[in-house]
């Protein structure tokens, strides 16, 4: 039964073909066509009957994806299809003579093919077409050749506004074995085709263009890429700002704990190592220089200045008390923390005078026997500033007149109390400077970061 069904299907196909007026396309017709075309054909000669004419090759690039963009080595890899079309005047036939065959696929090793090369290739320049590629030829002699490959080209990277930078990379194609008098390239479209394009995770494709260069001897496919800055912000910029702010917090650590220098140096070394890692991901060129590199240097300078400020503060804190602060240091300490220092000094002096300077108005070597009835004699309490003087009173309650030798003692103690109020030590000067350093470096870091971001935003927006 099976041969019968096969025979019926073949008969039905022939009848339908005859009914439609179309001849059957058989393998025999294709082999005969290929044999007739190859008679006297040589791929060494250009596909024109008049050798004085130029071969016009139409070009088209269909971009599939962006494989890799290495800004350090300044190279980019594209996956794409390069379309080439030209007319071979020696490959023309009448489809009626060959069973209606109007196109034929021929290996590139059999016929003339426009050999192209990528002029800005970072690797060795080689021909793009391979022997296993095929060329589609139609009855009028138009040949269509598709070259699918990963094209790796050099790209002049401009990282001035990294990580908000925009790059323009290109693929430059030109003939590999002919001059401009023999062969020219003509772009079919002014844009790169994106029929099968898949987006890239590191950058966005913003625009494309196609230009003809060197008197139509070279075709340049331009691709404009914009970096996605989120990765650099989260992994580079924010950690750098956080570590810089952490370094400023060293001024809030008490001086007595002895951990200031170790904390400051640890953060400084962490920032230095981090800057080294970031610098390895930037191009090694000086023109143009990245603004982000200047920002990294400024952060490092701020960290070094913080370390020097901490050393200066510790040096003042541990200076000998025999060397009193000079007038300038006393003025700085009084302007920044004098109210706190004076209030603390006066309160401590009052507490000291109340507890220690309690004296009796009587001779030091006198005994109770020198004053008969002293235990029964009433006393009056006389308070002068922070001194409490117990003076014997008469029976009528009036105190005796103060002796002349007691007055200098009272005046001397009064002068000592006044001088303790204004006394400023090196430790108090160091504490006052810590406040100044903390505010100064906070403002400096904020100003530095805002200036960097504003400069980039202003130039990018333009």
């Amino acid at each position: 039964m099976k041969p019968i069904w096969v025979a019926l299907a073949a008969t039905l196909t022939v009848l339908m073909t005859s009914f439609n007026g179309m001849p059957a396309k058989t393998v025999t017709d294709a082999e005969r066509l290929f044999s007739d075309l190859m008679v006297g054909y040589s791929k060494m000669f250009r596909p024109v009957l008049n050798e004085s004419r130029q071969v016009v090759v139409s070009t088209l690039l269909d971009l599939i994806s962006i494989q890799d963009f290495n800004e350090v080595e300044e190279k980019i890899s594209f996956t794409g299809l390069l379309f080439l079309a030209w007319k071979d005047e020696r490959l023309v036939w009448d489809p009626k003579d060959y069973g209606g065959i109007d196109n034929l696929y021929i290996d590139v090793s059999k016929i003339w093919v426009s050999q192209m090369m990528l002029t800005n290739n970072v690797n060795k320049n080689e021909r793009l077409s391979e022997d296993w590629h095929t060329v589609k030829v139609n009855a009028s002699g138009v040949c269509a050749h598709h070259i699918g490959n990963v094209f790796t080209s050099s790209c002049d990277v401009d990282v001035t506004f990294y990580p908000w930078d925009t790059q323009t990379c290109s693929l430059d194609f030109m003939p590999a074995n002919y001059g401009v008098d023999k062969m020219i390239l003509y772009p079919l479209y002014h844009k790169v085709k994106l029929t099968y394009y898949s987006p890239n995770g590191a950058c966005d494709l913003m625009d494309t263009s196609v230009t003809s260069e060197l008197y139509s001897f070279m075709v340049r496919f331009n691709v404009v890429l914009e970096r996605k800055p989120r990765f650099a912000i989260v992994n580079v910029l924010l950690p750098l700002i956080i570590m810089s702010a952490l370094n400023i917090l060293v001024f809030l650590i008490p001086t007595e704990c002895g951990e200031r220098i170790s904390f400051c140096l640890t953060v400084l070394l962490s920032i230095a190592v981090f800057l080294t890692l970031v610098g390895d991901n930037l191009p090694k060129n000086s023109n143009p220089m990245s603004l982000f590199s200047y920002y990294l240097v400024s952060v490092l300078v701020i960290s070094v200045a913080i370390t020097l400020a901490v050393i200066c503060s510790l040096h003042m804190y541990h200076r000998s008390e025999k060397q009193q602060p000079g007038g300038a240091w006393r003025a700085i300490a009084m302007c920044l923390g004098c109210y706190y220092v004076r209030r603390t000094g006066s309160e401590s002096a009052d507490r000291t005078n109340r507890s220690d300077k309690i004296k009796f108005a009587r001779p030091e070597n006198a005994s109770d026997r020198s004053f008969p009835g002293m235990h029964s004699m009433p006393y009056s309490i006389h308070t002068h500033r922070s001194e409490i003087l117990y003076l014997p009173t008469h029976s009528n309650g009036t105190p005796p007149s103060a002796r002349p030798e007691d007055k200098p003692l009272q005046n001397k103690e009064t002068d000592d109390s006044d001088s303790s109020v204004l006394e400023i030590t090196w430790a108090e000067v160091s504490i006052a400077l810590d406040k100044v350093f903390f505010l100064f470096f906070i403002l400096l870091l904020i100003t530095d970061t805002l200036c960097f971001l504003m400069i980039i935003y202003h130039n990018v927006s333009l």
Side-chain angles (χ1 to χ4, degrees), residues 48 65 132 180-181 190 217 231 235 253 270 283 309 414 447:
V48 290
S65 65
W132 56 270
V180 67
D181 58 331
H190 296 290
F217 188 63
F231 178 85
N235 293 277
I253 300 177
S270 300
T414 302
T447 303

Side-chain angles (χ1 to χ4, degrees), residues 382-396:
H382 176 68
T383 304
H384 179 73
R385 292 180 66 87
S386 60
E387 299 175 354
I388 303 176
L389 302 179
Y390 292 86
L391 299 177
T393 59
H394 295 291
S395 59
N396 57 1

